[in-house]
Every structure is written in C-alpha cells, then in structure tokens.
Amino acid sequence: MAEVRGGLHYPRSIGEFQAWFRTDADCLDYLEWLRWPHGFECARCDGVGGWRTGDRRIMCAACGHRTSVTAGTIFDKTRTPLTVWFTACWSFATAKDGISALSLQRSLDIGSYQTAWAMLARFRSVLAHPGRKRLSGVVEVDETYIGGEEPGLAGGRAQGKKVLTGITDAWMGYHGLAGLGYAHRRRSQRAARARGEDPAALLPAVHRVASLAKRWLLSTHQGAVEPAHLQSYLDEFVFRFNRRRSGSRGMVFYRVLELAAGHEPVRYRNITAGNKPRKTSPVPPAGRGHPPSLDRVTAGRPWRAAYLPYSG
Ligand SMILES: [Zn+2]
C-alpha cells in the first residue's frame, strides 16, 4: 500500500469510527481487508482465491482448506464480539496514555477483569518488533529500578518487587558493546554528584524517558504491573513514545489492528506468564461471561418514552 490515508483506510475520528464499525460484520470485513488486502491467500498451500462458506468461513479454491478471517491471528477463537474488540482497540490506540484493564472492563461491560486485561495484553503483545533496527548515533544507556512501591505502606518499599530495567534496544549490560560496533563512553553519575553537578544532566534523554515510563506505569496502570509482565508494558510504552507526535490517533488504531491481524494467536497462558493479573482496586459486581456485542441497531429514542420527573 503506497500511502495509508485517513478517512479511506482508517477512521479519523470517533464519529467516523462509529459510522464505519456499526456491526460485528463490519469489523470482520475490515480485518479481512487488513489481512488479505489483495484477496484471500491460503496459509496452507499459498494458493490465492477462495469461496465464502455459509458459516462466515473461507474455503481455499486450490486445496479446499477452510479457515476464517480471525483464525491464526490474535482474535483466534475469541468469544468476545469484534465490535467490543474494535472499541477496545480504539480506546487503547487513541487515548494518549492508553487505558487500564479496569477502565476497559467498566466502559465495555466486560464480565471479568481478567478478560479485559487479556484483551489489552494481546494488543500489547503485537507491539514489539523482533526485527527492529539497532539504535545509531549517540545512544544513551542507563539502568533504573521500576516498581517496588506498595500502596498502603507509608513510604515503604516491598523487597524483591523492583525490577532492574536497562533502557536500550538490546540490553546486555555494557560488556560486548564494542563487539556490536559501538564505542562506549562511560559517564559516571557518582563522579558528577561528587563534583556537585546534576547527575541526570549527563544522560538527559534516557532520564526523561525513564521518568516518563515510570509516571505512565503509575498513572495509567496505577503501578500494578507484575514483574513478569513488565516487558510487555514497556513495549507498549515504547510504541506510544515513538508515536507521541503522530497527528492522527486513527492511524495508530490502524497500525495496532494491522499488527494484530498479522500476528499469530496469543494464548492466555503465554501472556500471563504464570502470573494472574491482579486487580488494582475493588471491582463492582459484574455479570459473568463475555460481553454483549456492540452491534448498533436503532434504539428508538428510549428517552422519549421515559418518564422524566419535574424537578423543584
Ligand atoms: Zn489452500
């Protein structure tokens, strides 16, 4: 695709988003277009072209393999309606700082916190690019501790919960940098402090990024990130940081869905990494099961039929 354009390839506003994706079928068609912009391609035989079957599946014209638009993507076997997925993705992509699982659960009437958390975790899992380019030019590298503060413990820090995080594209300690073609210029913050200088001024960019990342984890996610999940949150942070000047949030929505449609399925056990997501605050009693579709049908202006008591 030569150029991705707002209003044509992705919605530019919430109004356009709502007009485009009124039903689960609209969302499925958009995913199909993202996945196979030039028409169906069979993952089994590489053949092109297929037939639609009655059950919203596609049958390969060459080998007869039956598949669906969502099979083999992060939406594989999902029981959450696509209108809910799309609305979640719109919130995830267009809110500058993202969205917490708790807000998502509440705003979309999702039955369990874990379901909402797993949806966001699946979006997060597609944001890291294994093939990304190495950093070039002057690269500031530092390490910092993330987490460790427990709400409710006055000024206390729970032992063993802090995670040492290296801020560079290919963290491996400082040894081995030369072998990668980098010249290592060591800057001692301790020495700067001894000279009475601001140690943060030695590496201004990396300090800014580290404090932004920590602030983001504390604000959007209320600091409730398990060490086992930290890397995926940092992937999300990096994705947002690199797009912080993007004029079009709709473009970010497009990008996340495009990655999601091209990403292999992500199983719950893989995203939890043995650590069940924990709630950050009490959740109001909610219904069970999966959220209802957000298919929009005309509601018949219910407010016209409602009794509105006069006040005063
Ligand atoms: Zn085939």
Side-chain angles (χ1 to χ4, degrees):
M1 197 180 296
E3 190 187 345
V4 181
R5 283 169 50 194
L8 188 62
H9 300 108
Y10 60 84
R12 290 166 295 193
S13 62
I14 180 117
E16 250 174 22
F17 171 82
Q18 289 176 340
W20 286 20
F21 305 117
R22 290 175 61 87
T23 64
D24 295 321
D26 293 336
C27 301
L28 190 69
D29 189 68
Y30 188 75
L31 280 184
E32 183 177 332
W33 168 76
L34 276 176
R35 192 173 180 191
W36 299 305
H38 309 295
F40 173 74
E41 291 165 30
C42 180
R44 183 164 292 178
C45 77
D46 289 333
V48 290
W51 293 289
R52 284 175 203 287
T53 60
D55 52 357
R56 285 194 174 174
R57 288 159 74 84
I58 297 169
M59 189 168 86
C60 172
C63 76
H65 174 56
R66 282 167 184 259
T67 187
S68 72
V69 172
T70 52
T73 74
I74 69 158
F75 308 107
D76 198 18
K77 297 188 174 73
T78 183
R79 283 176 291 166
T80 299
L82 286 178
T83 41
V84 176
W85 272 109
F86 271 48
T87 309
C89 187
W90 182 260
S91 301
F92 178 83
T94 61
K96 190 170 145 286
D97 291 323
I99 181 171
S100 72
L102 191 60
S103 331
L104 186 70
Q105 184 198 2
R106 285 175 174 165
S107 65
L108 295 184
D109 197 16
I110 296 170
S112 82
Y113 175 84
Q114 278 73 15
T115 302
W117 183 89
M119 289 174 80
L120 294 178
R122 285 193 169 88
F123 284 138
R124 227 173 263 131
S125 69
V126 307
L127 302 182
H129 297 267
R132 62 187 145 190
K133 291 196 207 99
R134 285 233 307 270
L135 300 175
S136 58
V138 176
V139 180
E140 296 182 12
V141 183
D142 199 3
E143 66 262 31
T144 188
Y145 283 98
I146 288 183
E149 274 148 350
E150 286 278 275
L153 300 175
R157 284 169 173 257
Q159 290 296 315
K161 283 216 163 181
K162 290 194 271 188
V163 179
L164 181 65
T165 310
I167 306 169
T168 178
D169 209 34
W171 170 252
M172 54 180 67
Y174 299 108
H175 303 293
L177 281 175
L180 290 170
Y182 292 103
H184 184 193
R185 274 172 58 208
R186 199 162 162 273
R187 316 298 301 271
S188 167
Q189 298 189 45
R190 192 180 297 164
R193 214 175 276 117
R195 290 194 302 268
E197 294 168 11
D198 177 9
L202 281 181
L203 299 163
V206 83
H207 276 264
R208 189 165 80 86
V209 172
S211 74
L212 283 173
K214 288 181 195 180
R215 206 183 307 158
W216 176 75
L217 287 167
L218 283 174
S219 58
T220 300
H221 301 290
Q222 297 175 32
V225 172
E226 299 285 347
H229 304 146
L230 181 61
Q231 185 58 53
S232 72
Y233 281 85
L234 293 179
D235 289 339
E236 177 184 343
F237 175 79
V238 169
F239 180 83
R240 291 190 186 287
F241 185 79
N242 288 339
R243 282 159 188 80
R244 68 197 181 283
R245 296 204 184 91
S246 165
S248 169
R249 307 315 294 178
M251 176 74 176
V252 181
F253 164 82
Y254 166 87
R255 189 74 185 124
V256 175
L257 274 188
E258 186 195 31
L259 290 167
H263 195 284
E264 64 207 26
V266 179
R267 301 295 172 216
Y268 188 72
R269 64 173 178 277
N270 296 127
I271 50 179
T272 54
N275 284 263
K276 282 267 169 69
R278 65 190 166 100
K279 284 174 267 196
T280 56
S281 57
V283 177
R288 295 201 157 267
H290 291 269
S293 166
L294 297 173
D295 260 17
R296 275 177 287 279
V297 292
T298 306
R301 298 182 178 170
W303 56 92
R304 285 287 174 194
Y307 170 70
L308 185 68
Y310 287 98
S311 58

